[in-house]
Amino acid sequence: MSPKVFVKEEKAQVQTPSLKASALSSSYSQYLVKFQSLIALFILCLIISLLSDKFLTVANGWNVMRQISVNICISVGMTLVVLTAGIDLSVGSVLALCGAITAGLLKFGIELPSQDLFIGFTLLGAVMAGMLTGTLLGTFNGWTITRFKVPPFVATLAVLTIARGLTMLYTKGFPISGLGADFAYIGTGWLLGIPVPVWISGVIVVMAVILTNKTRLGRYIYAIGGNESAARLSGININKVKTTVYAIAGGLAAIGGIIVTSRLDSAQPNAGISYELDAIAAVVIGGTSLSGGRGSILGTVQGAIIIGVLNNGLVLLNVSPFWQQVVKGLVILLAVIIDKANSKSE
Amino acid sequence: MLVAENITKKFSGVVALENVCLEIEAGKVTALIGENGAGKSTLMKILSGVYPDYEGRILFRGQLVNFANPREAQRSGIAIIHQELNLVPYLSITENIFLGREIITNWGTLNQKEMRRRTQLLLHKLKLEVAPDTLVGELKVGQQQVVEIAKALLDESEVIIMDEPTSAISDSEVEVLFGIIEDLKRENKAIVYVSHKLDELFRIADRFVVLRDGRCIEAGEMKDVCQERLIQKMVGREIIISRKKTNNNQGKELLTLENICLKHPVRKDQNLLKTISFTLHRGEILGLFGLMGAGRTELLETVFGLHPKLSSGQLTICQQPVKLKSPGEAIKAGLALVPEDRKKDGLVLGLDVQTNICLTTLADLEDAGFLNNRKELHLSEKYIRELKIKTSSEKQTAGNLSGGNQQKIVLAKWLATKPQILLLDEPTRGIDINAKSEIYKLIQELADAGLGIIVVSSELPEILSVSDRILVMAEGRLTAEFAIEEATEDGILKAAIPNTI
């Protein structure tokens, strides 16, 4: 039998003064890092308001908020997906398809002349059907990714094409317009002095913040993105969590599609093209790591606002749309470079 | 050969090394000993050029040197073999060895013939009898390590630093490694050997240097010192050596395996586990020993429901036959698995201590569907206290803690599930003596509290000191069973070595 070693004394906990001092001095820089996107946003607003007197007005403020509400819907879903170390490229097309289906059902219902059947849809019914479509497409994404181990990039790229094709089939390539004043309220109305789309995106953000911080699902999302293998061994049903996340992303894209359709009073077959890129940009600027496990909903919201303010400012300053794209790209790069530098210094 | 004088290194004000002196002689193996966090890796990283900024002087062959990067150190003749091997699995042995220093023909293309020839020579010298074109991913861990050594030898390195070289390889592979080290000594190379395993050092090392809290505590000849004294120097405290008392009053049958088989995931006609049957009792610590590739880890994984489609056989828990299809079901049935590789499978390194501890039991920490932060805090504080996890707070990122404390977090998250059966796969790999003894003590206490525990280990002294009963595996089969009174190192090893016909 071999001897076994026991330690008699506990090592005394001595904290060196130098350690304490460094902890104090680093707390300032920690705050800087924590609020970097807010600081960037503040500086951005300051510069634009100095250059244009139209920027800092209440009307323009609501205008910006209304414009970014669609991107916020999509990028909240995108954040959840990216936190699991995935990506969802299909959201733009899903948005278009769900907008078209909502508009189509509202205006035409379902008509099957051969069966002598007609189903009409109320506003609520059409909206629910649109959201259901988005959720189902998201579930399909999750199913191919978890069941057949298709990489998320490829699986959602396929659905991007499929959903766009289905949109064209459903609309026959033409916009579906004239949807009525009730439906227009979703995208253009006001409630208690605040635009309805801002209410919708605000509620989504609050729910997503609670989901990520206060629920089991949220914790599982971070764990899977941080270390999938450890999460699996901890008894977490990886496939279920991932599928749920893609379903949520699809559902949120559908809500975005309904808002867009309502605002334009028209479902455009080519709506939402490249919206997935704006969403990914918001997620990345907000500090969420594309390799998963690190990031937050509120970061993404800040990212979306930065992009929105930037777009708005460049328009107000009469910058050509071509230059706007260049500037936007550079901002995304800058944000990620700063984020990398920060995580390295940690 | 290599002399370091008064090396001091600070990380943002925190002293990692203070006035450390080190002398490495040619033709000798110098052992560098110390607990985790003693400053061993920092010193090695300074010597090999990873940290170019430090105070003090380094003399190499009498010349003052200051390497700007590892590449420069390597060219001058100092090579380091890291604990985690740095090889590209999808490239061949030749391609790995020549990575970044390929031989080019006059046409500007790769001179594959010459590179293959020199690889062949190196492999032959190191007695690794595989083709130079073999993909590194197909090699065993021990063989991959030999490839790393070959890389070092290609540069004609004079100083070879080995960081915990035996932490991932089996005993038979250790013998091969020691043979190579003896050969290198004869060629007058200087070797720095960093390890926790003292018995190894007594076999292979000529000189030793003990580091503690960033300071050099003692240096000398290995033959002038005994194991107890070294441990005392490392820990800096008096040590009580005690013998484990065997637990004879064993309880009821807890877990029974009958004819458990596991198919190879690719080659379906092969079995990784072959008709394994045994019983674990309440309050028993069952040691499971086997060499690398014996199927120890696969056995624990199969029991834990990780291979439902490939496995067959009957599992019985508390007289109830069960069929476990996922880790979630295994946890419900009262099982817990502390995996072999805590960084890869045990922890989410980027999340904080509290989140990691609570990950397995979140359902119990909810109120009406929402997580209750107070309950989470309560649970994590309880285990930080009980397992003496040294962390600045429960919000500390798990990746920032030492190996021993990380392992305690993994244990905590599994104890939180209140398991009846605890499966421990190499529970003390790569952690310091202090944390090791604490974990042994904990295992004992848990068994006394009535848990059934299976400990898998590739370290014989560990198995012998911790188990009540020992099972030995070789090539997917159970080959022997020993009561602890009858177990000897020789007997266990004999049963663990595969019979080649």
Side-chain angles (χ1 to χ4, degrees), chain B residues 358-371:
Chain B
C358 298
L359 200 56
T360 47
T361 48
L362 285 179
D364 302 333
L365 303 169
E366 280 180 332
D367 279 334
F370 296 106
L371 293 173

Side-chain angles (χ1 to χ4, degrees), chain B residues 1-70:
Chain B
M1 175 72 79
L2 183 66
V3 183
E5 287 173 358
N6 301 326
I7 302 290
T8 299
K9 170 80 186 163
K10 291 174 189 158
F11 291 105
S12 54
V14 184
V15 178
L17 288 176
E18 201 178 344
N19 274 332
V20 171
C21 297
L22 181 71
E23 201 174 322
I24 297 161
E25 291 170 33
K28 295 250 166 89
V29 176
T30 308
L32 191 61
I33 318 168
E35 284 192 292
N36 283 2
K40 292 173 306 203
S41 331
T42 313
L43 183 58
M44 292 305 98
K45 281 179 178 164
I46 286 174
L47 290 182
S48 58
V50 178
Y51 299 138
D53 52 327
Y54 53 85
E55 295 161 39
R57 306 201 305 160
I58 295 177
L59 299 168
F60 183 44
R61 297 199 201 105
Q63 303 260 320
L64 184 65
V65 289
N66 187 351
F67 303 120
N69 54 48

Side-chain angles (χ1 to χ4, degrees), chain B residues 153-187:
Chain B
L153 292 183
L154 182 73
D155 269 343
E156 304 284 321
S157 299
E158 294 299 318
V159 178
I160 300 171
I161 300 169
M162 299 184 183
D163 192 4
E164 297 273 355
T166 57
S167 67
I169 63 178
S170 64
D171 285 1
S172 60
E173 289 170 320
V174 170
E175 291 306 319
V176 174
L177 179 70
F178 284 1
I180 291 172
I181 291 177
E182 290 293 342
D183 288 346
L184 293 175
K185 260 168 78 173
R186 272 195 287 280
E187 289 176 28

Side-chain angles (χ1 to χ4, degrees), chain A residues 50-104:
Chain A
L50 286 176
L51 294 173
S52 164
D53 53 357
K54 288 186 214 112
F55 179 71
L56 268 190
T57 59
V58 176
N60 189 50
W62 288 129
N63 182 26
V64 172
M65 294 295 283
R66 193 200 294 273
Q67 278 170 358
I68 62 175
S69 55
V70 172
N71 191 19
I72 284 187
C73 291
I74 301 175
S75 32
V76 163
M78 187 70 78
T79 310
L80 300 179
V81 170
V82 171
L83 279 175
T84 66
I87 194 122
D88 189 348
L89 300 178
S90 68
V91 284
S93 305
V94 170
L95 173 144
L97 179 62
C98 298
I101 284 183
T102 306

Side-chain angles (χ1 to χ4, degrees), chain A residues 4 214 219 227 229 234, chain B residues 242 345 347 371 376 413 437:
Chain A
K4 209 177 139 194
K214 285 276 155 199
R219 212 44 78 68
N227 186 345
S229 165
S234 301
Chain B
S242 79
D345 302 319
L347 287 172
L371 293 173
E376 282 186 83
K413 91 177 201 191
S437 72

Side-chain angles (χ1 to χ4, degrees), chain A residues 15 17-30, chain B residues 12 14:
Chain A
Q15 195 165 24
S18 63
L19 216 157
K20 257 184 197 163
S22 77
L24 263 177
S25 69
S26 72
S27 70
Y28 271 115
S29 59
Q30 262 172 7
Chain B
S12 54
V14 184

